[in-house]
Amino acid sequence: HCSLGEGLQRYILLLDTGRDFATVSNLYLLRQIVTSLARSIANNLLFRVIRESKSDWEATFDSIPDMIAVVDKDGCILLSNEALAQFCSREVDALEGVSFCELFFEGDDPDSEQIQEFISNGIPGSLASSHTPPDRELRFRVVPNIYSSKAISIVVVQDVTDAEQMQKRNRELELKLFQEARLSSIGLLASGIAHNLNGPLMTIMGSVDLALH
């Protein structure tokens, strides 16, 4: 038995000497060399494909605008994307091992306990919380990773502050339009009543004028 390098060296020496190497042992050695080369090439190609796939996956993961964290059953971050790091004003690597709930909540917050319960029990769940950074409305969604042999969950966080504010403005506008429409209806009703009363009143006033004269 010899290594791939030793086998190649021996094979090259046989070629250089011009000796007849078509013996059983030499042919067996040649087959071993070719097989090893094929495996090495295949492994290199596979490694390159895996490396490129990993790079593509990481680029896609970081391009998602929602904040994403992969956490263990204790709620500690195993992996996070750029959106979460930017929201927390930290580097991605600095978030590894940090408690997810401590990034968004302080003390014994009921929402924090609810999220941790989803994570610990490996059950899906979602909630919206306004107990997070001032003037921010966040929506949390916990999804257990059923395809992993480890007890991990994926937590997705959406900043819905702008959407909530837009909905609030839309509701205020709808209420204002409703009030204006109601006032307009009241005005039309009053105008109709005045028009209907105008005829009889003119008749009465004419009769009174005739009686006075």
Side-chain angles (χ1 to χ4, degrees):
H1 298 282
C2 60
S3 67
L4 177 59
E6 293 172 345
L8 282 172
Q9 186 177 10
R10 180 177 173 184
Y11 181 65
I12 292 171
L13 287 173
L14 287 172
L15 290 177
D16 288 341
T17 57
R19 294 164 53 189
D20 184 13
F21 58 89
T23 63
V24 174
S25 61
N26 288 337
L27 291 175
Y28 178 74
L29 172 63
L30 177 61
R31 187 177 67 178
Q32 283 186 317
I33 293 172
V34 173
T35 302
S36 298
L37 282 173
R39 289 176 179 173
S40 178
I41 293 172
N43 288 336
N44 287 333
L45 289 174
L46 180 60
F47 176 76
R48 185 166 61 183
V49 169
I50 293 174
R51 184 176 58 189
E52 292 176 353
S53 299
K54 180 176 181 293
S55 299
D56 292 342
W57 181 87
E58 289 176 346
T60 303
F61 187 61
D62 286 332
S63 67
I64 298 174
D66 294 337
M67 294 168 271
I68 302 178
V70 179
V71 300
D72 60 20
K73 64 177 182 179
D74 297 322
C76 294
I77 296 176
L78 303 174
L79 183 68
S80 60
N81 67 345
E82 280 290 342
L84 179 60
Q86 291 178 5
F87 185 85
C88 300
S89 300
R90 300 191 188 185
E91 296 293 331
V92 171
D93 294 339
L95 292 176
E96 186 175 348
V98 176
S99 172
F100 175 83
C101 291
E102 289 181 2
L103 291 175
F104 297 94
F105 306 96
E106 295 181 358
D108 299 329
D109 191 287
D111 290 342
S112 174
E113 295 176 356
Q114 182 66 69
I115 292 174
Q116 185 58 51
E117 183 178 348
F118 292 149
I119 295 172
S120 300
N121 296 328
I123 56 177
S126 62
L127 62 85
S129 177
S130 57
H131 303 292
T132 41
D135 302 325
R136 308 310 297 176
E137 183 73 20
L138 302 181
R139 185 169 296 156
F140 298 84
R141 186 166 70 254
V142 179
V143 181
N145 188 354
I146 60 176
Y147 301 103
S148 174
S149 58
K150 299 179 180 179
I152 62 175
S153 297
I154 301 172
V155 186
V156 181
V157 186
Q158 292 178 307
D159 188 344
V160 295
T161 306
D162 295 337
E164 292 290 337
Q165 291 177 349
M166 184 174 294
Q167 289 180 359
K168 182 180 178 180
R169 287 195 296 268
N170 288 339
R171 287 193 295 267
E172 291 175 351
L173 181 59
E174 289 175 357
L175 179 60
K176 183 177 180 180
L177 291 174
F178 175 75
Q179 292 174 342
E180 291 179 353
R182 187 172 63 176
L183 291 174
S184 177
S185 299
I186 293 174
L188 289 174
L189 178 61
S191 176
I193 293 174
H195 177 74
N196 291 332
L197 292 177
N198 187 52
L201 287 175
M202 292 298 294
T203 303
I204 294 173
M205 290 178 63
S207 301
V208 170
D209 288 341
L210 289 173
L212 291 175
H213 291 85

